[in-house]
Amino acid sequence: MKTKVFKSFEEKLEDLRKTVNDCNAIIISEEPLSFVYENANFLTKSFLISLCGYLETYLKDGLEILIIDYNDRITRENFPYNLIRWSIENKDKSDSKVQSLLDKKKARFEDLSIKLKKKDLDAFISGNPFRTRELFAMFGIELDGIDDFKQKKDSINQIVVKRNNVLHHNDDASDLSNQDIIQYIDEVKYYCEKLDNEIEKRITNRQHCI
């Protein structure tokens, strides 16, 4: 199965693929449209930027599903916040005074819940696979243990670095073709499908999946 957000992401990639192929067909035609022909490099750079934007949107949407699903499970069980905090902080066992655990600044007389919202992911979302690896670790997913991630991380990083150079360092992307973009689409799709496998298998609410 796949998550619904991956399905949406997949559809966006296919739309992008069609646009790139249509653009390429115009450029190599006997009488290409002047606007497309004269702005071919600009369009190719736009395709690259869109592709990386779709990648980052997928990551954010996919991890949001995990936050929602984990929170639904936690809140159903009514775990006491203070007990979980005690376990996590694991203070000096020689101190037998409960009061030392009930720090007034930290104690909460409420059930445990995940307070993170989608917007809280913004600062951590990046197409860079090494930053993605760190973020997934916060969700209990060790990407370095996945062969497909290890095999693809460098090529995905190169795509993202190229996008960053185009955006921030005036790289004219003269070495980039529409055929390269088609190859990048395939690589990003495969890469995200493997990430989605890790997200999907942790979700208990199957309404998030198809």
Side-chain angles (χ1 to χ4, degrees):
M1 297 183 74
K2 300 175 181 177
T3 65
K4 288 181 178 179
V5 296
F6 180 81
K7 180 63 176 177
S8 175
F9 165 71
E10 199 172 29
E11 290 170 355
K12 290 177 182 177
L13 289 188
E14 292 312 307
D15 287 344
L16 180 60
R17 185 196 306 276
K18 183 179 185 306
T19 301
V20 175
N21 282 329
D22 288 348
C23 179
N24 209 46
I26 292 171
I27 291 171
I28 65 176
S29 65
E30 291 184 4
E31 296 183 2
L33 293 172
S34 59
F35 173 80
V36 175
Y37 188 81
E38 292 169 7
N39 293 280
N41 177 256
F42 171 79
L43 292 170
T44 301
K45 290 190 291 185
S46 297
F47 297 147
L48 175 64
I49 292 168
S50 294
L51 175 60
C52 291
Y54 292 155
L55 164 61
E56 291 166 355
T57 297
Y58 164 72
L59 293 172
K60 185 175 179 179
D61 291 346
L63 292 176
E64 182 196 21
I65 288 178
L66 270 186
I67 289 174
I68 293 170
D69 193 76
Y70 284 149
N71 193 49
D72 286 346
R73 280 184 270 170
I74 289 171
T75 53
R76 272 199 307 271
E77 297 298 331
N78 299 318
F79 297 124
Y81 173 88
N82 289 335
L83 185 63
I84 302 302
R85 184 174 68 85
W86 181 9
S87 174
I88 292 172
E89 294 184 359
N90 196 22
K91 291 196 174 184
D92 188 351
K93 296 180 178 61
S94 65
D95 189 344
S96 60
K97 295 181 180 179
V98 173
Q99 192 59 43
S100 69
L101 297 168
L102 290 176
D103 184 319
K104 291 182 180 179
K105 294 181 180 179
K106 295 183 178 180
R108 298 178 188 171
F109 295 94
E110 61 185 53
D111 292 333
L112 185 69
S113 65
I114 297 175
K115 305 294 186 183
L116 295 174
K117 303 298 182 183
K118 188 174 183 176
K119 63 180 178 61
D120 296 315
L121 293 170
D122 288 345
F124 303 95
I125 293 294
S126 170
N128 179 315
F130 304 103
R131 289 184 61 187
T132 297
R133 177 178 60 191
E134 294 174 354
L135 182 56
F136 270 59
M138 297 302 294
F139 288 78
I141 301 173
E142 186 179 5
L143 291 181
D144 274 341
I146 301 167
D147 288 340
D148 288 308
F149 175 80
K150 290 190 290 186
Q151 292 168 5
K152 284 293 181 182
K153 65 180 187 296
D154 289 331
S155 60
I156 297 298
N157 187 54
Q158 290 174 4
I159 294 170
V160 175
V161 167
K162 185 67 174 177
R163 185 278 306 266
N164 291 344
N165 287 339
V166 167
L167 283 176
H168 305 300
H169 302 292
N170 298 318
D171 186 337
D172 64 6
S174 58
D175 58 338
L176 192 65
S177 70
N178 285 337
Q179 286 306 117
D180 292 327
I181 300 297
I182 294 297
Q183 180 185 339
Y184 291 171
I185 290 172
D186 290 336
E187 290 189 26
V188 168
K189 179 179 177 181
Y190 181 85
Y191 168 77
C192 287
E193 186 173 14
K194 301 310 173 184
L195 297 183
D196 197 68
N197 288 344
E198 297 304 311
I199 292 174
E200 183 272 334
K201 69 185 182 183
R202 288 166 169 79
I203 294 172
T204 58
N205 184 349
R206 305 316 288 174
Q207 292 184 354
H208 293 302
C209 304
I210 54 175

